Amino acid sequence: MAAKKPEQKAWDVSMSAEKRQETAHFICRELQNAIDNPSVTAPEVRYWWTLYEQGRTRTAGNMPWQDAADLTSYLGTEKVDALKARIKKTMLRDDPVWTVEGWGTSSAQKAPFVEDFHQWALENEGLQAFMDRVILTALVEGRGVLEVFEDQTERVTRKEIRAQVQVGGDGQFVMDGETMEPSLVRDDDGKLVEVMDAETASALTVIDAQIRVRRGPGYRVLPYEQFLVLPGHAREKADIFGYAKVFTKRIDQLKEAVKGGMYDKKAVESLHTSSDVTSQLAPSGEAVPVATQEGPTSEKELYEIQLLHNLDGKGLRWYVCTVHLLSRTLLRLKYDDINKGRFILLVPFPRTDRAHEGYSFVGHKLITCQEEHTAWRNMLADRAALVLSAPIKRLTTALWE
């Protein structure tokens, strides 16, 4: 009989409450320092996306007159899309992405089958779509981050099973006094015992069961504003001791995760029930209000950190922890047993002053060309409009008179 898998716990590291609080303050201090001192500000990144999307760059304050032309340059979009297509074709070409070489005659014969399996797995996981997004993000923002994690998504689903019926000593079914139906046998965890053979007495029953809907690796593309490197001023990769991503979860989701042992119960209960998300920034930079949320549906902004630290005195090792920055609360702290990088950084044009960032193809390489082209397009369109509208005159601040 296979050994029962140990229950998941929020704390793998044995430490006192004072040490745990000290660790939480250290992590939050480093996070806040990285947030306060970015190499590129969030409005700049949004402006680069506006240029790529050929969005409106003229505001009401810098337009020469009402209904003047607002034509953003198409050079950024054209060059980025062309370069992205070349990069994607190079990385995900028609041939197998993975090349397998076997040692010996028998292993070499199996190599084509292994290549085909990896190619099938790549297509089944939908990696092409994620790579398309991370390449685009890297060209526009200067850095693309692909998070790779073990996806074990579970959902509650109705399921029909043949449950074992309880049989008395006389060979008769044991009846339930309330429902007057045969009693069903349950195991030590309170779950119904499913019957797989035809000899055992059973009854067809509908139950709500946790079904794992996905197995294997999962991917997530993290934009510039939702990913931090600790310390933020690291000039070499060897100086980096942590990676952090930002995500939001509702209070009811956190409490459900507590039941599975992911987060600490007391830490989740200590969080206030008001929402951390009060507004969301539009691509134009304007704040869009979010509906007020209280109670179980309120959203909390959390940080998940992969941290290289010495907490148990045995030496440096990788840990995974989750903190709530506003209240400086540590929700979990576990050993990182994977010992692999969770975040893959794609930096097409590396910088010399940052080990984890690069130059934006839109915001650094093409910025002057795009702004000059934008100005010329608007000047030509405005001048052509004036010439074509002659001899009709217009008021400067009004519609057609």
Side-chain angles (χ1 to χ4, degrees):
M1 183 176 180
K4 187 176 181 181
K5 186 178 180 180
E7 295 183 0
Q8 187 177 9
K9 295 181 180 179
W11 311 112
D12 278 353
V13 186
S14 299
M15 62 175 62
S16 62
E18 293 77 9
K19 179 67 174 178
R20 188 177 299 168
Q21 190 66 23
E22 179 185 346
T23 304
H25 281 283
F26 163 72
I27 296 173
C28 293
R29 185 170 62 250
E30 293 294 336
L31 285 175
Q32 194 62 51
N33 182 59
I35 294 172
D36 295 339
N37 300 282
S39 60
V40 179
T41 61
E44 288 182 283
V45 177
R46 298 191 196 103
Y47 177 62
W48 298 343
W49 279 109
T50 302
L51 292 178
Y52 171 75
E53 297 169 355
Q54 300 183 48
R56 303 293 185 181
T57 56
R58 278 185 170 181
T59 62
N62 64 358
M63 296 186 75
W65 58 78
Q66 188 174 353
D67 297 335
D70 190 2
L71 306 175
T72 305
S73 173
Y74 52 80
L75 293 178
T77 307
E78 180 184 67
K79 304 302 181 184
V80 167
D81 289 346
L83 186 57
K84 183 188 71 172
R86 292 189 181 96
I87 295 175
K88 189 175 180 182
K89 185 178 181 180
T90 303
M91 298 178 65
L92 303 173
R93 58 189 186 276
D94 296 335
D95 297 335
V97 176
W98 312 108
T99 302
V100 180
E101 296 181 359
W103 293 91
T105 306
S106 59
S107 298
Q109 293 176 353
K110 300 176 182 178
F113 300 98
V114 179
E115 289 181 355
D116 290 342
F117 170 78
H118 282 288
Q119 185 71 19
W120 168 83
L122 180 143
E123 296 175 358
N124 187 44
E125 295 160 4
L127 181 59
Q128 295 94 329
F130 290 99
M131 289 302 301
D132 186 83
R133 291 176 54 196
V134 76
I135 293 171
L136 175 61
T137 304
L139 293 175
V140 176
E141 299 185 356
R143 178 186 67 192
V145 181
L146 179 66
E147 181 190 7
V148 184
F149 58 95
E150 186 68 20
D151 194 354
Q152 298 180 356
T153 305
E154 293 185 350
R155 294 288 183 269
V156 178
T157 308
R158 290 213 159 184
K159 177 183 177 183
E160 284 189 353
I161 66 170
R162 301 203 67 86
Q164 183 178 353
V165 177
Q166 188 173 358
V167 181
D170 55 355
Q172 300 295 325
F173 294 155
V174 178
M175 306 301 292
D176 189 346
E178 295 182 359
T179 62
M180 299 306 296
E181 296 287 341
S183 297
L184 303 178
V185 179
R186 297 182 179 273
D187 57 14
D188 297 337
D189 297 331
K191 298 180 180 179
L192 296 177
V193 177
E194 187 175 1
V195 175
M196 306 304 295
D197 57 82
E199 289 78 12
T200 307
S202 61
L204 190 63
T205 309
V206 179
I207 62 171
D208 291 334
Q210 287 276 358
I211 303 298
R212 182 165 294 179
V213 297
R214 180 178 173 85
R215 296 175 182 268
Y219 307 98
R220 185 181 293 111
V221 179
L222 301 176
Y224 187 87
E225 298 181 50
Q226 295 183 1
F227 183 76
L228 298 172
V229 176
L230 308 178
H233 58 272
R235 300 178 65 94
E236 299 293 337
K237 189 175 181 180
D239 301 335
I240 299 175
F241 62 81
Y243 303 93
K245 72 168 183 178
V246 188
F247 67 100
T248 57
K249 277 189 178 294
R250 301 193 309 267
I251 291 292
D252 56 355
Q253 291 177 320
L254 292 176
K255 291 183 177 179
E256 189 67 24
V258 167
K259 298 178 182 179
M262 177 173 287
Y263 300 125
D264 183 63
K265 183 178 181 181
K266 293 182 178 179
V268 172
E269 291 176 349
S270 65
L271 302 179
H272 53 81
T273 57
S274 59
S275 179
D276 294 343
V277 183
T278 58
S279 63
Q280 193 170 10
L281 292 176
S284 61
E286 299 179 359
V288 179
V290 177
T292 305
Q293 300 173 356
E294 295 290 340
T297 59
S298 61
E299 295 181 337
K300 311 305 293 182
E301 188 176 75
L302 305 174
Y303 288 81
E304 183 176 298
I305 304 101
Q306 187 182 17
L307 181 67
L308 179 65
H309 201 48
N310 184 8
L311 294 176
D312 51 9
K314 298 180 181 179
L316 293 174
R317 65 185 303 170
W318 286 100
Y319 298 90
V320 177
C321 56
T322 305
V323 297
H324 182 242
L325 183 60
L326 295 179
S327 62
R328 293 179 176 262
T329 303
L330 192 63
L331 276 67
R332 68 164 177 159
L333 179 61
K334 299 175 65 65
Y335 295 117
D336 189 6
D337 298 329
I338 301 178
N339 291 324
K340 299 287 184 180
R342 297 170 179 265
F343 306 102
I344 301 175
L345 276 63
L346 178 61
V347 182
F349 307 101
R351 296 176 53 155
T352 57
D353 59 337
R354 290 289 190 273
H356 52 85
E357 294 185 17
Y359 292 107
S360 167
F361 192 53
V362 175
H364 293 109
K365 304 291 185 180
L366 300 176
I367 186 68
T368 53
C369 298
Q370 290 179 97
E371 292 183 341
E372 180 187 19
H373 189 219
T374 298
W376 274 107
R377 293 188 73 191
N378 289 325
M379 284 190 297
L380 293 175
D382 293 340
R383 182 60 184 170
L386 292 176
V387 172
L388 293 176
S389 62
I392 302 175
K393 298 182 182 296
R394 289 185 65 190
L395 296 178
T396 305
T397 58
L399 298 175
W400 289 96
E401 182 59 65

